[in-house]
Amino acid sequence: MEHDLIIIGGGPGGYTAALRAAQLGAKVILVEQHALGGTCLHWGCIPTKAFYKNAEIINTLKKAQEFGVDLLGFSLDMQKVQARKQEIVERLHSGLNQLMKIHGIQVLKGKARLLNPTTVEITPSSPDDIPEKITARYILLATGSRTADLPIPGTDLPGVLTSKEVLDLTTVPGRMVIIGGGVIGMELAAVFQSFGSEVTVLELLPRILPMMDEELVRRFNPLLKKKGLKIETGVRVKEIRQSADGLLIFAQGKNEAALEFNADIVLLATGRVPQTEGLGLAEAGVRYNRQGIEVDEDFATSVPGIYAIGDVIGGQMLAHVASHQGRIVAEKLFASRETKTGTNQTTQNPSVKKSTPVVPSCVFTFPEIAAVGLTEEEAKSQNIPYQVSKAMFGANGKALTLGEGEGLIKVLANKETGEILGVHILGPHASDLIHEAALSLHQGLKATDIQDMIHAHPTLAETFHEAILNFKF
């Protein structure tokens, strides 16, 4: 066949798979309907973190007097905020395009549809271009996810935005109501509250961030309240209407109480669903359901030669999970090729793994939250004997010099073996600190393995060490 691999979807999973396959000698075509980099680069991870940095600077300026710095005042220029965000996105997008060229990967812009296990039809973005059919030995589906649709009247009104549109705002809304208290909702709540919006988060479940350790979320709530961010849980939104001064949200609270909220902007942040529409899955015989495309432990679909990774298969919808899965599939398919040294020996890359059991997750709020491994609730439900150790950032010298002494590190270890089961961080630079914990779980380390490891002083990482030292085995 003309090509070795066709990848549909140019997000983190798709482009990582393309690069790895090309490095291993495969001839690759990457098809992307919108822009290389996908949601993560253009409307998700990167733009939100650019906003997050702006918010972080504002929060620092607000407490400048604590550091002996007197300010006459400051203001936020959203036009410049947008320009900075876009410059970052364009730089990374340009870099990705260059990497594709360097590795000989052909990138086609258009909508792809499966015709059979080896053939894809591509409808170009330009209406003047003619659809073309291309074939390959293998096809990889990496189309990601889209914002979940809400069956709420009024979601089509002006001022009701998804997480994609809200990142294009050029003014800071006075009042913002966010429907959904998951990661997307809480990150954008933190950003816009710092920017100056009056933010209210409405969550259907009994608590925000339901995937995180319950104790950490319980400790997080008063920190949000202190910042002026309003959280309403157990709330079902019934309707959104236009009002004389913006938008009016009708909801039902606990004990069926009628609630009303006023807003200038309503943000829909109730999660994402796999992007399976228009792929021709049923026609090609690829099994899928509402949770995504069905795959086995090697990410193979029900049709031989067709694979799927990332958000489109459901599970943990994280960019770094998609990237990891993309690398696994590329190495599974092409790592045993002849080496470039001219010998006929074939070698299987020992790093190829069939699953990704250790996945760190991060929530970029103020303070940050990060976790890896089991929560305490999961350990209980699985009847795993465990013990807990905690260390507070309020006792850490580096945290206090940063003016960020709030939060803690909580570690779960198997009571019988001492193996680290889970680590949960609420505090400064949690998204960076979590990786020592992730490595510990990845390598199956015990608390005693880490207790003898010297941690530099003064550092935030000492708090993790303190929590580990508190274990007695």
Side-chain angles (χ1 to χ4, degrees):
M1 290 186 180
E2 188 179 354
H3 303 95
D4 295 307
L5 178 64
I6 298 170
I7 300 174
I8 303 175
Y15 69 67
T16 299
L19 288 168
R20 187 66 183 127
Q23 289 169 351
L24 293 167
K27 190 172 183 181
V28 182
I29 281 188
L30 179 61
V31 186
E32 169 56 47
Q33 185 177 0
H34 301 294
L36 193 60
T39 297
C40 176
L41 175 54
H42 297 277
W43 310 288
C45 317
I46 303 305
T48 55
K49 301 316 164 287
F51 273 25
Y52 182 83
K53 183 60 182 179
N54 289 102
E56 184 181 47
I57 291 172
I58 289 172
N59 289 339
T60 300
L61 293 175
K62 286 178 180 177
K63 57 182 183 180
Q65 283 192 328
E66 295 179 18
F67 296 87
V69 179
D70 291 321
L71 298 174
L72 296 176
F74 62 89
S75 61
L76 180 70
D77 186 334
M78 278 298 288
Q79 298 283 355
K80 291 182 179 178
V81 170
Q82 287 289 355
R84 176 179 178 272
K85 176 204 77 176
Q86 200 55 39
E87 191 276 331
I88 294 169
V89 169
E90 289 174 2
R91 182 186 300 183
L92 291 171
H93 181 240
S94 175
L96 273 178
N97 279 310
Q98 189 61 29
L99 277 174
M100 297 298 123
K101 291 178 182 177
I102 290 171
H103 288 87
I105 299 164
Q106 185 180 359
V107 179
L108 299 178
K109 188 170 184 179
K111 185 172 179 58
R113 181 172 66 92
L114 297 172
L115 296 181
N116 58 53
T118 59
T119 309
V120 169
E121 181 182 67
I122 302 173
T123 303
S125 301
S126 172
D128 298 328
D129 293 334
I130 300 172
E132 63 176 314
K133 298 176 183 179
I134 52 176
T135 61
R137 292 170 58 202
Y138 304 107
I139 296 172
L140 176 61
L141 306 174
T143 50
S145 60
R146 59 174 177 80
T147 303
D149 296 323
L150 287 180
I152 299 173
T155 55
D156 57 346
L157 290 172
V160 181
L161 311 177
T162 68
S163 56
K164 178 179 178 180
E165 292 96 33
V166 80
L167 292 171
D168 291 328
L169 288 175
T170 54
T171 59
V172 177
R175 302 164 301 173
M176 175 180 283
V177 169
I178 299 177
I179 302 175
V183 174
I184 296 172
M186 294 312 303
E187 288 191 348
L188 289 169
V191 165
F192 280 96
Q193 188 275 329
S194 299
F195 283 2
S197 297
E198 180 184 304
V199 179
T200 302
V201 177
L202 308 180
E203 171 55 50
L204 177 63
L205 298 176
R207 65 183 177 98
I208 59 171
L209 300 172
M211 77 298 295
M212 291 292 175
D213 185 85
E214 186 175 353
E215 180 187 1
L216 247 69
V217 175
R218 191 171 64 247
R219 290 175 178 268
F220 185 44
N221 276 318
L223 301 181
L224 297 175
K225 186 176 180 180
K226 189 167 82 172
K227 295 177 186 298
L229 207 156
K230 300 173 185 176
I231 306 291
E232 299 281 351
T233 57
V235 173
R236 181 182 295 276
V237 176
K238 309 292 284 187
E239 185 180 3
I240 305 170
R241 294 182 192 168
Q242 202 82 50
S243 67
D245 67 338
L247 295 164
L248 186 59
I249 300 95
F250 295 90
Q252 186 179 76
K254 297 166 185 174
N255 302 317
E256 299 186 356
L259 303 172
E260 294 183 10
F261 303 91
N262 293 288
D264 300 304
I265 292 292
V266 173
L267 170 61
L268 307 177
T270 52
R272 300 181 67 82
V273 294
Q275 181 62 58
T276 57
E277 295 83 357
L279 282 174
L281 298 177
E283 295 85 345
V286 176
R287 287 199 297 268
Y288 70 102
N289 53 44
R290 292 179 63 186
Q291 283 71 49
I293 296 173
E294 298 178 15
V295 295
D296 65 13
E297 62 182 7
D298 292 321
F299 305 104
T301 69
S302 56
V303 176
I306 300 180
Y307 294 78
I309 58 167
D311 288 11
V312 78
I313 67 173
Q316 292 177 291
M317 292 187 176
L318 299 168
H320 45 286
V321 170
S323 297
H324 184 75
Q325 292 171 350
R327 183 178 63 81
I328 286 175
V329 171
E331 292 182 349
K332 171 184 169 52
L333 297 178
F334 304 113
S336 60
R337 291 188 157 214
E338 290 184 359
T339 63
K340 304 245 181 191
T341 59
T343 67
N344 290 324
Q345 285 186 318
T346 59
T347 56
Q348 183 66 34
N349 190 324
S351 70
V352 173
K353 294 185 176 6
K354 293 186 178 180
S355 61
T356 57
V358 178
V359 180
S361 59
C362 307
V363 187
F364 290 85
T365 49
F366 300 103
E368 292 181 359
I369 303 175
V372 66
L374 296 179
T375 65
E376 191 166 356
E377 296 71 49
E378 289 169 337
K380 286 178 182 176
S381 68
Q382 296 176 33
N383 296 315
I384 298 174
Y386 71 93
Q387 58 177 299
V388 174
S389 181
K390 306 168 193 172
M392 311 302 290
F393 281 109
N396 178 274
K398 179 65 178 294
L400 295 180
T401 63
L402 294 173
E404 300 181 51
E406 298 172 325
L408 76 160
I409 297 182
K410 175 179 178 178
V411 183
L412 279 68
N414 189 299
K415 187 180 289 187
E416 298 173 352
T417 66
E419 185 176 345
I420 305 300
L421 298 173
V423 179
H424 308 275
I425 306 176
L426 170 67
H429 296 273
S431 60
D432 300 312
L433 294 174
I434 199 62
H435 292 91
E436 181 179 0
L439 181 61
S440 301
L441 268 73
H442 184 73
Q443 295 297 322
L445 298 183
K446 300 177 180 180
T448 50
D449 294 323
I450 306 169
Q451 286 174 343
D452 290 336
M453 175 183 165
I454 296 174
H455 287 65
H457 174 78
T459 62
L460 297 172
E462 289 178 288
T463 303
F464 177 63
H465 195 211
E466 287 297 326
I468 294 292
L469 287 172
N470 289 334
F471 283 117
K472 304 296 183 229
F473 290 104

